[in-house]
Amino acid sequence: MKARLLELAGPRPTLGEARSALLDEAFEDLAAAPEHAEEHRLDVLDAGCGRRSPLLRYRDRIRRFAGADLHPPAPGELDYLDSFVRADLCRDADAFPPGSMDLVLSNFTLEHFADPAAALANMARWLRPGGRLVVTTVNRRHPFVGAYLSLPARLRGWLQRLVRPADAHPLVGACNDPQAVAVALRGAGLEAVRVETVGHLARAWARRWPTLLLGLLGDLAAGPFPGRRSTILATGSAPAR
Ligand SMILES: C[S@@+](CC[C@H](N)C(=O)[O-])C[C@H]1O[C@@H](n2cnc3c(N)ncnc32)[C@H](O)[C@@H]1O
């Protein structure tokens, strides 16, 4: 019933569809580069990988699959990674060698960073020339997201655990509107920066009926106003040599 409601009323593309489009494009472009002429497989990093990675579906197109997070995965989680590094992405610039990754994904991590500029600069530094960064994060220009981020930290934490118990890492929201994300990616030295938005509240809050219906209302209300949709997707490329 919930799935049907989301299908009927949820705006398209979904976050999953929009993110897959950016990742598909990145895999196709990067695997076609001359340095991958022999083996069309990429070195990728899920930066802030948490407990699951959207990059898993590309496993057979990945040569080296690295994950990094403040918290190590539980035994058995993220078994598909080739390596896991426990790192603070805002501080640990040496977590990976410069120029060692073809693709870095930051999936719902930017909103948690105390120093987003430093974290993005690190991710950009780890990219090879021409390598790609893909970011998803929340948009505080959506009225519900903005109101949520303005709540006292304690109340926000309680609400966060209610709707997203698995991902209850504290939110900061220091770089969380479409323009700020674009400026931050360019500030990290990335080129060809593109930013888009999708409505994702109903799906994100689908665990309970009241939050699902509230999310649906939020998605439908913001749908006609791209700058106010709940979720930001962005991409940029490291300068080619
Ligand atoms: C909302 S979860 C998203 C997890 C995963 N990317 C996903 O899509 O399911 C945010 C993740 O970012 C990690 N994180 C937050 N701040 C971080 C930092 N400064 N350095 C490394 N990881 C961080 C958290 O530990 C958490 O696993």
Side-chain angles (χ1 to χ4, degrees), residues 7-232:
E7 195 52 44
L8 286 177
R12 308 217 66 116
T14 63
L15 167 69
E17 289 164 348
R19 183 177 53 213
S20 293
L22 288 180
L23 292 174
D24 288 352
E25 180 191 75
F27 271 90
E28 267 156 45
D29 290 354
L30 294 167
E35 56 270 34
H36 293 295
E38 287 190 8
E39 191 191 4
H40 297 278
R41 298 198 305 153
L42 306 184
D43 296 335
V44 306
L45 167 65
D46 190 333
C49 51
R51 299 163 177 223
R52 60 187 179 279
S53 176
L55 291 170
L56 176 58
R57 61 189 285 260
Y58 300 92
R59 189 65 188 90
D60 60 349
R61 298 162 78 178
I62 295 173
R63 180 171 58 185
R64 192 163 54 90
F65 194 168
D69 202 289
L70 280 176
H71 308 289
E77 273 179 355
L78 300 179
D79 276 349
Y80 45 83
L81 293 181
D82 294 314
S83 62
F84 172 83
V85 175
R86 188 171 188 173
D88 181 340
L89 297 161
C90 300
R91 291 167 178 257
D92 298 331
D94 298 329
F96 299 93
S100 57
M101 299 291 166
D102 296 299
L103 172 66
V104 176
L105 172 67
S106 161
N107 194 53
F108 291 106
T109 57
L110 188 61
E111 64 270 28
H112 299 283
F113 292 150
D115 189 346
L120 289 168
N122 287 335
M123 294 184 219
R125 185 178 307 117
W126 299 329
L127 287 173
R128 296 202 169 103
R132 196 82 49 98
L133 174 68
V134 173
V135 173
T136 67
T137 192
V138 298
N139 181 10
R140 66 186 314 149
R141 289 200 68 223
H142 188 290
F144 292 1
V145 178
Y148 178 72
L149 287 172
S150 308
L151 289 173
R154 230 169 144 171
L155 182 55
R156 204 170 60 214
W158 178 79
L159 278 172
Q160 199 183 350
R161 284 189 293 279
L162 187 73
V163 294
R164 306 276 295 171
D167 293 329
H169 194 84
L171 281 165
V172 180
C175 178
N176 282 96
D177 65 64
Q179 200 191 348
V181 171
V183 168
L185 263 62
R186 289 191 193 104
L190 300 176
E191 297 177 341
V193 170
R194 285 180 283 146
V195 177
E196 61 187 292
T197 56
V198 295
H200 183 58
L201 292 181
R203 285 181 171 81
W205 297 346
R207 191 164 170 262
R208 295 170 199 266
W209 273 106
T211 50
L212 183 157
L213 294 173
L214 188 66
L216 208 50
L217 182 69
D219 286 340
L220 291 172
F225 311 102
R228 293 197 176 274
R229 292 180 196 144
S230 68
T231 303
I232 301 168

